Amino acid sequence: MKRIFFLSLILALALTADAKKKQSVPPYKDPSLSVETRVVDLMSRMTLHEKIAQLNQYTLGRNDNVNNIDEVVSKIPSEVGSLIYFGDGADLRNAMQKKAMEETRLGIPILFGFDVIHGFRTVYPIPLALGASWNPELAGEACRVAAQEAYDAGINWTFSPMVDIARDARWGRIAEGYGEDPYLTSVFSAASVKAYQGDDLSQPYNIAACLKHYVGYGASEAGRDYVPTEISRQTLWDTYLPSFEAGVRAGAATLMSSFNNISGIPGSANHYTMTEVLKEKWGHDGFVVADWNAVVQLVNQGMAKDGKEAAMYAINAGLDMDMVDNLYMEHLEALVNEGKVPMERVNDAVRRVLTLKFRLGLFENPYTEEKPENERILLPASLEVAERAALESMVLLKNENNVLPLKSGQKIALIGPLARNQEDLLGSWFGRGRAEDVISIFDGLSEESGIAVSYAAGCDFDGDDKSGFQEAVNVASQADVVVLCLGEKRKWSGENASRSTIALPSIQEELLAEIVKAGKPVVVLLSNGRSLDLTRISPAADAVLEIWQPGVMGGKAVAGILTGKYNPSGRLNVTFPYTTGQIPVYYNHRESGRRGSQGLYQDIPSTPMYEFGYGLSYTTYDYGEVTVSADRFTAEDRITAKVTVTNSGEMDGKETVQWYICDPYSTITRPVKELKFFEKKLIPAGDSHTFEFEIDPMRDLSFVNGEGERFLEPGDYYIIVKDQKVKITLAD
Ligand code: NOJ
């Protein structure tokens, strides 16, 4: 009896202790509760000052971007929503996080963000190149590598993917996006978001994505960065918003507001885009972060008279977090007290930011395990993904007399400013990548081809020093084939890197002209972050291979293609104009009132040099007849279009079937053709594959009006595959 009494006493005491302990842990720290409950509880404990702190982002670490330049920073408050983290490993970040967790009243973890645009340390091809792979799964694999390396360095949030549609290659930031087409970019947008974030943000190696730059930044006038854009509501909806909507539907946790003025209302103070469209129409429950200093720039843009007014416009328009300029920190409290910013708006923004922190599991796992480099960066499996991404993104533009692939035993002269270069193959925004990680074309080729490669630089990227020409011609004369590596330096594209012409500097064109005189077949390799004006290059070369800025495995991938180990399968995702003067030139333009021979340029052809979707292979693909399961149907029906493609050459290859539709007459006129679906498949030599496109009329044939409403009109449509055009009719 005594014993039972004693045991019950112990049990009762234990239960009370447990209950007490539970009581002392506030609900927001209890992971068994829902995120919503935890956010409500935490916010009920926060002062206005603590709330506002969550809406600010500072930087931590040394940053070299001229526009972002900052050292770290002792003045960083421990109570802060987020930091842009410029670090190679997690140590500095953990030290800062400790301050937030242990030295602040509520212990709210900091969210660490960084521009992991095409890799963290394992730099893979620039996004423009990835788009040219037409392989969103592969882009996703690359994003997974980036997420893993970033996560291990303490980053929870990447400012990627950049899904701006760009049709003016003078704009240097064309390099950062997936090209000119809304559909292709939408597919890559969704694939990147899913790859970065995984199914559950709280799991290791999943990081939050950020769709940017919301919205219309790519429409920058004359290709100049940061300048205003003129975008009608119609164009906003049919061209610039779809890639963002696709990313939001894929679950993107955040978006970044853009620098550009959108027809009078800057992106970072635009209530229509950030609140009415994003949050109300699409129901986005994440948050919008400003681009760097975008809030204070509202003053320069001629909207706000000072920083305080800028903060007011931005937050009231729906911009939740201020990047770097500290204007929310400085002015929001006063703005709320003066009744100029509703408290509900502040609460809404704070709720959004805290929700992401809970979803990421930061309250439970605020710190990052500090691992040695050899366990987290440049891992063999990551390099393998980077190599495949480089291989699949390269586009063979020309191949006269089958100069490529190179034949075994051929003596190769490797010439040009990019031949032994490592740094410029990285491209812009290379995270924490390093030039020494990059396999140069020279190294890749000498290792892969197993034959001696003779080399001469010939000239630099620009300038007028021709003193190296003669040596280059000598080297060319002694070879069987010349591989001439031309292109751009990495800083010629990316942010704040516009060019008035997209031709290469004339010194490079002149080098080509000299080399041609040696009378040997010339293969031109192009490494660049935009489409180029090849008027004087393409006709002079026997073969042209666009390698973009291919990242660390670039040289090895080039060797794989040149030697024929890999059959090129990239296709252009941007139009290559005939000359810069054709810009803007893109495939999905609307029809002219006078077709045929009128309205054309008098001095140059009016068609581009290489069109969207173009790209050669070492094999040949024969397309059978495109068939449809029904040529008359209703809006509720689904019809299937099919085409069988045969690899009639001698090399295995990957072919991408591109399905376009055309609606020739519509109450809102539509582009001449619109990409609606694509699929890339390996077809072994001699084999065939039947590609299918199931058409859902509302999804694939409808159009959108300037209010964002989709409509579907009865009548004739065409399915276009290569040079075939098949009529289908949507019945009344
Ligand atoms: C400015 C750039 O426009 C943006 O893309 C980038 O994410 C931020 N700086 C942060 O570095």
Side-chain angles (χ1 to χ4, degrees):
M1 197 58 189
K2 246 185 186 174
R3 188 185 250 169
I4 293 176
F5 172 76
F6 201 61
L7 281 176
S8 327
L9 190 68
I10 290 179
L11 192 68
L13 285 175
L15 286 175
T16 327
D18 195 44
K20 268 199 178 151
K21 200 171 146 207
K22 269 211 167 134
Q23 243 177 24
S24 67
V25 175
Y28 77 90
K29 289 195 173 164
D30 180 352
S32 68
L33 298 175
S34 72
V35 165
E36 210 180 7
T37 309
R38 297 175 76 186
V39 171
V40 170
D41 175 65
L42 176 54
M43 286 183 61
S44 71
R45 295 162 194 271
M46 293 169 81
T47 63
L48 177 57
H49 176 81
E50 284 165 336
K51 286 180 178 175
I52 289 170
Q54 288 303 310
L55 305 182
N56 286 271
Q57 184 177 61
Y58 291 66
T59 69
L60 177 67
R62 175 93 181 94
N63 170 21
D64 295 325
N65 179 327
V66 283
N67 291 307
N68 294 356
I69 210 120
D70 216 333
E71 282 277 354
V72 184
V73 201
S74 39
K75 11 170 200 138
I76 298 175
S78 329
E79 272 168 344
V80 65
S82 175
L83 288 169
I84 306 189
Y85 180 52
F86 299 92
D88 289 321
D91 45 346
L92 181 59
R93 175 250 196 233
N94 282 342
M96 184 68 214
Q97 189 74 303
K98 197 160 185 289
K99 279 175 64 180
M101 298 308 291
E102 294 178 7
E103 293 172 24
T104 64
R105 194 174 72 88
L106 295 164
I108 304 176
I110 295 171
L111 178 60
F112 291 83
F114 187 53
D115 288 286
V116 189
I117 308 299
H118 55 113
F120 180 76
R121 179 70 186 267
T122 302
V123 176
Y124 50 81
I126 54 169
L128 186 64
L130 281 186
S133 75
W134 293 64
N135 187 341
E137 291 79 27
L138 180 55
E141 284 185 65
C143 293
R144 285 304 301 158
V145 171
Q148 173 264 309
E149 289 187 348
Y151 180 91
D152 277 338
I155 290 152
N156 321 108
W157 179 25
T158 175
F159 305 130
S160 169
M162 193 274 221
V163 297
D164 292 317
I165 302 303
R167 292 165 165 184
D168 187 336
R170 292 172 298 181
W171 190 55
R173 305 203 78 169
I174 193 171
E176 297 173 49
Y178 294 117
E180 75 183 33
D181 182 57
Y183 176 75
L184 186 79
T185 304
S186 298
V187 172
F188 277 80
S189 169
S192 315
V193 167
K194 286 187 184 148
Y196 285 133
Q197 299 193 164
D199 295 333
D200 176 353
L201 279 173
S202 70
Q203 293 305 303
Y205 306 123
N206 292 344
I207 61 176
C210 181
L211 301 166
K212 69 187 190 185
H213 305 82
Y214 192 65
V215 55
Y217 187 30
S220 281
E221 265 182 0
R224 287 174 56 214
D225 214 355
Y226 314 122
V227 299
T229 55
E230 184 48 55
I231 309 173
S232 69
R233 283 280 162 96
Q234 178 60 43
T235 306
L236 195 65
W237 276 101
D238 66 38
T239 302
Y240 293 104
L241 285 171
S243 51
F244 287 92
E245 184 171 3
V248 167
R249 304 264 176 249
T254 69
L255 288 87
M256 184 183 290
S257 71
S258 57
F259 286 137
N260 54 302
N261 187 330
I262 311 169
S263 295
I265 313 289
S268 298
N270 201 307
H271 190 267
Y272 179 69
T273 56
M274 289 191 288
T275 298
E276 290 161 58
V277 175
L278 175 68
K279 292 174 181 171
E280 291 171 5
K281 195 172 169 85
W282 296 343
H284 185 244
D285 65 354
F287 70 86
V288 184
V289 62
D291 202 341
W292 189 286
N293 275 346
V295 178
V296 69
Q297 284 172 202
L298 296 174
V299 177
N300 282 350
Q301 286 174 309
M303 186 179 206
K305 68 174 183 300
D306 55 25
K308 185 172 176 186
E309 207 172 74
M312 177 189 78
Y313 283 136
I315 189 142
N316 284 345
L319 205 166
D320 303 298
M321 184 183 277
D322 183 10
M323 186 187 277
V324 173
D325 59 30
N326 300 349
L327 291 184
Y328 281 11
M329 206 66 148
E330 282 169 34
H331 301 296
L332 269 193
E333 199 158 344
L335 285 164
V336 170
N337 291 335
E338 288 161 21
K340 292 185 176 148
V341 170
M343 194 55 218
E344 306 83 74
R345 177 73 270 272
V346 174
N347 280 336
D348 174 56
V350 176
R351 181 180 55 74
R352 290 168 181 273
V353 171
L354 292 176
T355 298
L356 180 60
K357 294 187 176 187
F358 281 111
R359 285 184 181 158
L360 282 163
L362 284 175
F363 284 82
E364 284 68 63
N365 300 303
Y367 303 110
T368 301
E369 186 189 338
E370 290 171 29
K371 295 182 186 167
E373 285 200 345
N374 63 357
E375 288 177 22
R376 61 182 174 84
I377 55 166
L378 299 167
L379 303 177
S382 310
L383 295 173
E384 189 268 331
V385 172
E387 184 182 350
R388 272 193 288 125
L391 280 167
E392 289 216 18
S393 60
M394 294 180 183
V395 186
L396 184 62
L397 296 175
K398 182 174 180 184
N399 195 16
E400 298 263 288
N401 307 318
N402 294 331
V403 176
L404 290 178
L406 301 172
K407 319 293 170 284
S408 75
Q410 273 180 328
K411 281 193 274 173
I412 301 165
L414 191 65
I415 297 173
L418 265 151
R420 288 193 103 142
N421 177 298
Q422 292 174 288
E423 178 176 348
D424 293 294
L425 297 188
L426 285 172
S428 59
W429 292 107
F430 51 80
R432 308 304 294 180
R434 297 186 190 167
E436 72 248 29
D437 300 336
V438 177
I439 301 179
S440 71
I441 296 169
F442 180 88
D443 286 343
L445 204 56
S446 13
E447 273 160 38
E448 286 289 309
S449 66
I451 46 165
V453 173
S454 51
Y455 161 78
C459 66
D460 204 347
F461 286 87
D462 53 3
D464 50 16
D465 181 359
K466 298 182 188 167
S467 59
F469 276 24
Q470 192 51 52
E471 190 204 349
V473 173
N474 294 346
V475 169
S477 315
Q478 284 154 33
D480 299 317
V481 56
V482 180
V483 176
L484 182 60
C485 308
L486 305 179
E488 298 188 313
K489 290 177 86 69
R490 62 171 191 78
K491 286 188 176 157
W492 291 1
S493 58
E495 187 179 349
N496 197 17
S498 303
R499 294 180 73 77
S500 71
T501 169
I502 60 168
L504 292 179
S506 57
I507 186 90
Q508 296 195 44
E509 296 182 344
E510 286 170 51
L511 176 65
L512 168 63
E514 282 306 306
I515 296 292
V516 166
K517 289 184 194 155
K520 302 296 165 76
V522 179
V523 176
V524 170
L525 300 188
L526 297 167
S527 173
N528 39 278
R530 51 164 56 81
S531 48
L532 294 176
D533 169 340
L534 299 174
T535 323
R536 286 165 297 277
I537 290 184
S538 213
D542 297 280
V544 180
L545 179 69
E546 174 56 71
I547 69 166
W548 310 105
Q549 287 154 333
V552 290
M553 298 304 282
K556 188 151 185 237
V558 164
I561 290 187
L562 293 187
T563 57
K565 276 195 188 155
Y566 185 83
N567 189 351
S569 66
R571 301 285 180 266
L572 292 182
N573 49 337
V574 277
T575 303
F576 273 47
Y578 186 81
T579 68
T580 304
Q582 283 186 336
I583 292 175
V585 56
Y586 47 93
Y587 87 92
N588 46 356
H589 58 86
R590 288 188 165 86
E591 275 289 11
S592 146
R594 292 196 180 186
R595 303 185 188 179
S597 60
Q598 294 204 45
L600 305 181
Y601 292 111
Q602 297 189 0
D603 52 340
I604 53 164
S606 293
T607 47
M609 179 72 86
Y610 297 115
E611 46 181 44
F612 179 88
Y614 173 81
L616 302 173
S617 154
Y618 294 154
T619 189
T620 41
Y621 300 107
D622 296 335
Y623 279 59
E625 196 185 326
V626 174
T627 59
V628 283
S629 57
D631 57 9
R632 215 182 153 75
F633 55 94
T634 68
E636 285 68 45
D637 292 337
R638 299 286 176 272
I639 60 167
T640 306
K642 292 187 185 178
V643 66
T644 298
V645 180
T646 303
N647 180 344
S648 52
E650 275 156 25
M651 199 182 279
D652 298 351
K654 285 190 173 178
E655 172 66 337
T656 301
V657 170
Q658 303 167 25
W659 299 91
Y660 297 86
I661 68 110
C662 160
D663 180 2
Y665 304 105
S666 170
T667 47
I668 295 177
T669 60
R670 298 178 59 168
V672 291
K673 61 177 191 172
E674 300 161 49
L675 183 70
K676 289 292 169 183
F677 185 57
F678 60 87
E679 201 180 358
K680 186 171 188 175
K681 282 267 179 245
L682 175 72
I683 312 181
D687 274 12
S688 300
H689 181 79
T690 300
F691 291 79
E692 293 188 12
F693 170 28
E694 193 196 62
I695 298 168
D696 167 347
M698 195 57 199
R699 184 191 62 196
D700 302 315
L701 303 178
S702 68
F703 203 50
V704 67
N705 67 18
E707 278 81 53
E709 290 150 2
R710 298 210 76 83
F711 63 93
L712 181 62
E713 292 179 343
D716 293 342
Y717 293 81
Y718 292 88
I719 300 171
I720 302 174
V721 179
K722 282 215 152 181
D723 44 10
Q724 295 185 60
K725 212 170 168 184
V726 177
K727 188 163 98 177
I728 52 174
T729 305
L730 176 64
D732 270 319

